Amino acid sequence: MAQHPIPSRSRSGSRSRSLRRGPAVRAAASAVAAVAAVAVLAGCGSGSGSGSASASASGSGGSSAAAPSGSFPVKVTAANGSVTVKSRPEHIVSLAPTLTEDLYAVGAGKQVVAVDADSDYPAGVPHTGLSGLTPNIEAIVRYQPDLVVASQDSGGLVAGLRKLGVPVLIEPAVATLNGAYAQLQQVGQATGHAAEAARTVAGMKSSIAATVRKAGSGHADLSYFWELGADPYYSATSKTFVGEIASLFGLRNIADKADKATDGGYPELSQEYIVKARPQLVFLTDGGPSNGGQSPAGVARRPGWAEVPAVRNHQVIDLNADIASRWGPRLPQLVAEIAQAVEKASGR
């Protein structure tokens, strides 16, 4: 499921829904708190706490790995500080969906022995009942890990595994695209796949740049509403991870004017505010049974929404919630989904 830089539940809860509504949404009620947590989380968020996210994003990029790819020991600076990986890890446990995707994207998939209950991509990952939100150290060590990666240090995870000599990388939700790239590269460095990680990041950057170039980056004439959750309605502003992605196209975010310092970039909006703002695009990240069950048809039935330009012009986009809530190697797909909507709305 989802997970991202959003203070999502995944980010908090069930499937790491970080970017997705999850993080933000469910946490919704606690969106603000989530945000703060996210920040602490330093990121899943897509959002999850922008501030922290940034910090973690930066941290993610840190590394003393001047050594060539695959050379150990490697020392990296993650959100939990300096971490030394003495030898190439062969039994990796991932406790976060985005990190699981990162591991496989950089070529470390064969070294992964277990992933948490929310990790569902790519197909065939060694799925378990492990939780990244409420980690059980005893259950984790049954897999005899020589490296554990997680998006947050919950339940004394780092301290508990440190006592057993198991290095842990805390890679929280990020707040920027550069943070996502840096985190992915750090995962590559820590697992002996620095070169593959660099190629993966280069490919992502190239793909995203091409997509934006085709759709155009000057769409200030188009406004949008990014829905993390409905009833109450939570959104993400331009200063969040997903906001940065939408900004690649120059879109105007209707949530920006409603954002307060305490919202952490994830304000709660009234239905009246959204309808009055008349967004030309609505991006849903709370579709599907496990994410809120929202849909374009359901949005059209909401009281007063029929005259919203996005509804009237069939510009309510039901995004893939998992991709929209994670900040990993599938980001080019999220950018492509947004680009498609932008091109359609602008008549291209």
Side-chain angles (χ1 to χ4, degrees), residues 253-346:
N253 191 327
I254 69 162
D256 288 351
K257 293 182 179 178
D259 189 35
K260 301 185 294 292
T262 53
D263 292 332
Y266 299 93
E268 177 181 345
L269 306 179
S270 68
Q271 186 161 215
E272 292 72 20
Y273 176 93
I274 300 168
V275 170
K276 186 177 180 180
R278 298 172 60 79
Q280 288 146 304
L281 292 164
V282 171
F283 296 105
L284 302 178
T285 65
D286 52 355
S290 62
N291 299 310
Q294 301 303 312
S295 67
V299 171
R301 290 193 295 271
R302 293 173 182 171
W305 285 63
E307 293 307 313
V308 170
V311 175
R312 192 174 60 236
N313 299 321
H314 307 289
Q315 289 297 318
V316 178
I317 298 89
D318 187 8
L319 297 171
N320 180 307
D322 284 339
I323 294 177
S325 67
R326 298 176 188 178
W327 56 102
R330 291 193 288 170
L331 282 173
Q333 294 180 47
L334 173 61
V335 175
E337 283 191 275
I338 297 172
Q340 186 175 27
V342 169
E343 291 184 275
K344 181 180 177 183
S346 61

